[in-house]
Amino acid sequence: MLAMIAGLVTPPIILASALNLDDQLQSYLISASLIVSGILSAVQMSRFQLFNSKYFIGTGMLTVVGTSFAVIPVATAMFDQMYANGTCVTNADGTKAACPDAYGALIGTSMVCAFFEILLSFLPARVLRKTFPPMVTGVVVFFIGASLVQSGFEDWGGSSAGCHDRPSSGYFSLCPNVGAPNAATWGSPQFIGLGFLVYISIILVEYMGSPAMRNASVVIGLLIGMIVAGPTGYVSGSSITSAPVVTFVWVHTFKLSVYGPAVIPFLAAYLILMMEAIGDITATSDVSKLEVEGEFFDSRVQGGVLADGISGFLSALGTMTPMSIFAQNNGLDLGRMRNCVFHTDRFFLRVIDF
């Protein structure tokens, strides 16, 4: 669960920043992501038979669910289009006004398109694997990650909310905004230094840390960055002190709608989520020493993909973007296995294949 935290909170932060939502809404979305992830992980790890048929919901093994990064490129493109066509308001100084209705359109479109993955789950697993081989899905997933590199470098320089364009005046003339503590222009040495500290900390933990530390390398890197940023005045606790002690989903709600131009991109995103789910289920079965072929494995894949599609629908009802199967538990298992020595050719072949 600790290894999942960074992956769970990052998408809500990116989406809230893209829509300039206030700190209260951003905190809520982070909480909603954690809550919905826990609930839907419990559903995915269970295995329910569907109406006494041959179909199941869930994998019946350790399969965690988290906020998908595959939706972020679709969402940011959708938000840019909504600001450009006037659906969302742009201020006179060129900055983007908060647009919670765009987020409502995002989760509303996601809710409708989730039925695409649900329907695909009833196809034979062998047909899905043959139609979408790893060579195709792997390249697509790679480009999703590559598209996120831009916002990562923008954040490294100060923020990706708008100050990276270096406007001469206005709310984003300084990073992350003019009201932030120790605000400075984008690309200032202090921002580059703090970002590099986090980056090099993660690298060192991955290289020299124990398996348990490597599994939480991102969290450790962020903590080290906070330890330095806090005393030097780069951290504001206002959003933490203003946040409620306990919250739940539906504390904030959004106006649901379906944004037509985003339907086809969302269908493609759910297709990618389905193939990611098949790969993660295969990897989890492998490191758990369970069968990775045969009728029962195909049934496990079918149940996992069906639960993945249902998670996309339920997460939207929980005011969250699609939740999909995460691979963090596979990394934990493989991290423990690195401490062991195996001498069978089959093991090495399976690792290479994975």
Side-chain angles (χ1 to χ4, degrees), residues 6 51 75 100 146 161 169 207 300 324:
F51 305 122
S169 62
Y207 183 71
R300 197 186 295 278
S324 183

Side-chain angles (χ1 to χ4, degrees), residues 151-196:
S151 62
F153 276 106
E154 289 172 352
D155 284 330
W156 195 330
S159 176
S160 60
C163 67
H164 62 277
D165 293 327
R166 296 195 177 191
S168 58
S169 62
Y171 187 65
F172 291 114
S173 58
L174 297 176
C175 287
N177 56 67
V178 294
N182 288 341
T185 57
W186 189 87
S188 295
Q190 57 267 39
F191 293 146
I192 300 297
L194 281 171
F196 182 77

Side-chain angles (χ1 to χ4, degrees), residues 27-317:
S27 297
Y28 165 75
L29 291 178
I30 293 172
S31 298
S33 178
L34 294 166
I35 294 168
V36 175
S37 170
I39 295 172
L40 296 181
S41 291
V43 173
Q44 186 63 269
M45 286 184 280
S46 304
R47 183 172 167 82
F48 304 101
Q49 191 172 14
L50 192 62
F51 305 122
N52 293 321
S53 66
K54 63 178 181 179
Y55 299 107
F56 291 84
I57 300 176
T59 63
M61 59 183 178
L62 180 60
T63 314
V64 293
V65 174
T67 316
S68 173
F69 280 82
V71 178
I72 292 179
V74 177
T76 52
M78 171 181 165
F79 296 158
D80 289 342
Q81 191 176 62
M82 295 181 79
Y83 277 108
N85 62 24
T87 305
C88 295
V89 177
T90 302
N91 298 321
D93 59 0
T95 60
K96 298 176 180 178
C99 190
D101 285 352
Y103 187 81
L106 175 69
I107 59 176
T109 307
S110 168
M111 184 187 303
V112 172
C113 294
F115 287 99
F116 179 57
E117 186 176 3
I118 293 174
L119 293 174
L120 288 176
S121 70
F122 293 100
L123 294 175
R126 63 181 182 276
V127 174
L128 295 177
R129 290 198 300 270
K130 186 175 180 180
T131 306
F132 307 103
M135 180 61 72
V136 174
T137 58
V139 170
V140 173
V141 173
F142 169 80
F143 280 110
I144 290 173
S147 68
L148 298 175
V149 172
Q150 177 182 351
S151 62
F153 276 106
E154 289 172 352
D155 284 330
W156 195 330
S159 176
S160 60
C163 67
H164 62 277
D165 293 327
R166 296 195 177 191
S168 58
S169 62
Y171 187 65
F172 291 114
S173 58
L174 297 176
C175 287
N177 56 67
V178 294
N182 288 341
T185 57
W186 189 87
S188 295
Q190 57 267 39
F191 293 146
I192 300 297
L194 281 171
F196 182 77
L197 174 64
V198 175
Y199 175 76
I200 197 65
S201 298
I202 294 172
I203 297 298
L204 291 175
V205 170
E206 286 285 348
Y207 183 71
M208 298 187 297
S210 66
M213 292 179 64
R214 289 198 296 266
N215 291 329
S217 60
V218 174
V219 176
I220 293 174
L222 293 174
L223 287 175
I224 293 174
M226 289 294 294
I227 290 172
V228 175
T232 52
Y234 288 92
V235 177
S236 172
S238 59
S239 60
I240 298 176
T241 55
S242 63
V245 178
V246 178
T247 189
F248 195 65
V249 292
W250 309 304
V251 175
H252 294 280
T253 55
F254 302 89
K255 180 182 177 181
L256 294 178
S257 62
V258 176
Y259 188 67
V263 170
I264 292 179
F266 252 107
L267 293 178
Y270 271 107
L271 191 63
I272 294 169
L273 295 183
M274 179 193 68
M275 299 312 300
E276 284 182 323
I278 294 174
D280 287 339
I281 293 168
T282 304
T284 302
S285 299
D286 191 25
V287 299
S288 302
K289 302 185 185 300
L290 300 173
E291 61 271 27
V292 291
E293 55 185 16
E295 184 177 348
F296 188 76
F297 171 71
D298 288 344
S299 174
R300 197 186 295 278
V301 169
Q302 175 274 313
V305 172
L306 178 56
D308 206 61
I310 293 175
S311 293
F313 179 82
L314 295 179
S315 60
L317 290 181

